Amino acid sequence: MSMIKCISPVNGEVYAERPAMPLELAKQVVSRARQAQKAWARRPLDERVNLVLSGVARLNEMVDEVVPELAWQMGRPVRYGGEFKGFNERGNYVATIAADALKPLVIEESDRFERRIAREPHGVVFVVAPWNYPYMTAINTVAPALMAGNTVIIKHASQTILVGERMVRAFVEAGVPADVFQNIFLDHETSAALIAAKSFDFVNFTGSVEGGRSIERAAAGTFTGLGLELGGKDPGYVMEDADLDAAVDTLMDGATYNSGQCCCGIERIYVHEKLYDTFVEKSVAWVSNYKLGNPLDPETTLGPMANKRFAATVREQIADAVAKGAKALIDPKLFPQDDGGAYLAPQILTNVDHSMAFMREETFGPAVGIMKVKSDSQAIELMNDSQYGLTASLWTKDAERAARIGADIETGTVFMNRADYLDPALCWTGVKETGRGGSLSVIGFQNLTRPKSYHLKKVTA
Ligand code: NAP
């Protein structure tokens, strides 16, 4: 039996491992989920919502285990306290809109006709989750899917192998029936085989573009609904009227927090020539304050990347850009803990352009490129020069200008004077190779249900 392993970035050793489930056993898990689904969907919405909220609350009680476990699995420093803030905010918010989002759209209610569009759960939803924000990305789908009356099977990333198991434990201890929310340890082949065998009614995949392609291929011809939340290369644009200090603070945080491993992390910044020099100088000072080190040390503000192979990609992109003329502004001597492996110093590059992979491909590390621009049109062209489109962060005091530029940017979300945040009231979505579909908000509920039309003609005497 093959084992799925989490190699800890803290020390490069196996932190946890679980046997990959063979296909026949996995099919039994799916079958239990299917059998449990109708009874779960028949329970009153309030009951389902409250059980999910109890699951969220139960996970919070596990904070003392969750936080160091996350540090060991993917390197997030313990001082940040896990990801409960976003996890709770999203879980709690979707609970407040569930009734409205799922209520039928009544077209006619007369003595002759009842015509309405109801929302029906899909059935069994498969959630494939990434390691970078392992709880927050999972709750985006798990909470609304369960509330809507689906049963859910979660397959978590190898790097965060314990997260699905722990979430399910919390939810089941809180009263969610065991067959309604199940964790499964699967390799890629078995995941694909299950999808190809029409096991699921909806698959939500959050991860890389290549992973998304594999899921789409596995689902081809099955008509299984897919939500694909994939990579990004999110830009920031600082206009000449921006609040400079706020822009530096938010954009540098957006570029480097979680060691830059955020789907909506800031990966490239375009700054108006009037502010460029000061922006760069302040950004270098901001980033130089990080303390890179062991994530279990409360003093550490920047942990290792989740895996040394992710750090290797960042190092390669930086080296390639520097070979092509980029200037690396962060002195490596400030970060002696950089070990050439998972522990990676943050970096800011200038003299960059879009011929460099560093400015085009997802870096997913604590490194960002800054370019000077002269005009909005140049900034728009550069922001759109990407295969991705998740978010864009505009910095200006002029909301109308931001809205105008926002209309021209190919992106899922337009931010003004903020970045790197998922508002659960808005739809989380992307364009181009960032994927398809949308989660959270009313639209997230719609994507986890299907419309069912009732056209009832009443018999009148
Ligand atoms: P990944 O390698 O694609 O893995 C994501 C999840 O999919 C993991 O559970 C992984 O399992 C599984 N997986 C990958 N390929 C698969 C396949 N062929 N068949 C079945 N399962 C497969 O991505 P990651 O490195 O974990 O996450 C980082 C990426 O996710 C970045 O590109 C980031 O931008 C993106 N992301 C996007 C969003 C968004 O909202 N758009 C949010 C977070 C992250 P294993 O770990 O076992 O391989």
Side-chain angles (χ1 to χ4, degrees), residues 101-368:
L102 295 169
K103 76 170 187 247
L105 182 62
V106 178
I107 311 298
E108 183 177 352
E109 179 88 78
S110 70
D111 51 359
R112 293 194 56 235
F113 281 104
E114 194 180 318
R115 292 157 63 223
R116 65 190 142 86
I117 306 167
R119 304 294 321 176
E120 292 255 313
H122 287 303
V124 181
V125 171
F126 186 39
V127 175
V128 183
W131 49 265
N132 65 322
Y133 280 97
Y135 285 101
M136 294 207 302
T137 50
I139 198 71
N140 291 352
T141 306
V142 169
L146 289 173
M147 288 174 187
N150 300 284
T151 51
V152 173
I153 296 172
I154 184 166
K155 184 218 99 61
H156 226 295
S158 310
Q159 194 68 50
T160 42
I161 189 82
L162 303 181
V163 170
E165 187 179 72
R166 186 170 278 289
M167 257 178 98
V168 165
R169 193 187 317 157
F171 278 52
V172 170
E173 282 178 14
V176 173
D179 292 344
V180 164
F181 184 28
Q182 300 178 80
N183 177 62
I184 196 165
F185 300 108
L186 288 183
D187 59 27
H188 293 184
E189 293 68 31
T190 314
S191 305
L194 284 174
I195 295 170
K198 298 191 191 175
S199 306
F200 308 111
D201 304 292
F202 189 83
V203 178
N204 186 275
F205 175 91
T206 309
S208 60
V209 171
E210 268 325 300
R213 282 206 179 94
S214 306
I215 297 294
E216 206 175 55
R217 273 196 294 271
T222 66
F223 305 123
T224 307
L226 296 181
L228 300 172
E229 302 182 20
L230 312 177
K233 185 79 190 167
D234 289 0
Y237 171 33
V238 183
M239 295 168 225
E240 72 286 352
D241 67 338
D243 176 339
L244 187 66
D245 288 331
V248 168
D249 191 47
T250 304
L251 291 175
M252 285 304 119
D253 185 66
T256 53
Y257 184 74
N258 207 32
S259 297
Q261 302 163 122
C262 307
C263 53
C264 56
I266 295 294
E267 299 226 346
R268 49 201 176 108
I269 302 175
Y270 308 102
V271 184
H272 191 276
E273 56 188 358
K274 282 198 184 133
L275 296 186
Y276 179 81
D277 289 339
T278 331
F279 183 88
V280 170
E281 190 188 316
K282 285 181 180 243
S283 296
V284 169
W286 196 101
V287 165
S288 301
N289 276 329
Y290 265 124
K291 185 171 181 317
L292 175 67
N294 187 322
L296 295 151
D297 176 350
E299 298 294 311
T300 294
T301 53
L302 190 70
M305 292 196 62
N307 193 299
K308 67 178 183 193
R309 88 189 137 89
F310 306 143
T313 304
V314 184
R315 291 177 197 280
E316 273 164 34
Q317 281 192 11
I318 292 175
D320 172 72
V322 169
K324 290 184 169 128
K327 219 167 131 194
L329 300 184
I330 302 293
D331 182 355
K333 287 198 212 80
L334 287 175
F335 296 93
Q337 309 86 345
D338 187 327
D339 63 351
Y343 289 84
L344 171 71
Q347 191 50 274
I348 292 176
L349 298 187
T350 53
N351 280 8
V352 285
D353 62 49
H354 283 212
S355 72
M356 300 166 182
F358 183 76
M359 292 301 279
R360 288 193 325 270
E361 289 166 19
E362 189 171 36
T363 305
F364 223 54
V368 65

Side-chain angles (χ1 to χ4, degrees), residues 83-113:
E83 46 201 60
F84 285 101
K85 190 162 169 268
F87 182 82
N88 295 342
E89 185 186 21
R90 297 172 194 187
N92 294 334
Y93 179 78
V94 293
T96 66
I97 62 166
D100 242 12
L102 295 169
K103 76 170 187 247
L105 182 62
V106 178
I107 311 298
E108 183 177 352
E109 179 88 78
S110 70
D111 51 359
R112 293 194 56 235
F113 281 104

Side-chain angles (χ1 to χ4, degrees), residues 373-446:
V373 290
K374 288 181 187 310
S375 65
D376 289 352
S377 58
Q378 188 190 5
I380 291 167
E381 199 179 319
L382 286 165
M383 283 190 278
N384 284 341
D385 181 28
S386 172
Q387 79 218 58
Y388 299 107
L390 186 56
T391 78
S393 172
L394 308 178
W395 288 81
T396 174
K397 296 193 176 77
D398 182 345
E400 275 176 31
R401 182 175 173 193
R404 223 170 30 243
I405 294 170
D408 282 339
I409 312 175
E410 296 149 4
T411 188
T413 294
V414 177
F415 288 117
M416 184 180 78
N417 300 332
R418 68 178 313 175
D420 191 19
Y421 168 68
L422 264 76
D423 177 346
L426 301 178
C427 182
W428 190 244
T429 185
V431 300
K432 301 182 187 172
E433 293 194 359
T434 293
R436 292 291 172 273
S439 56
L440 298 170
S441 76
V442 171
I443 289 168
F445 275 103
Q446 288 181 354

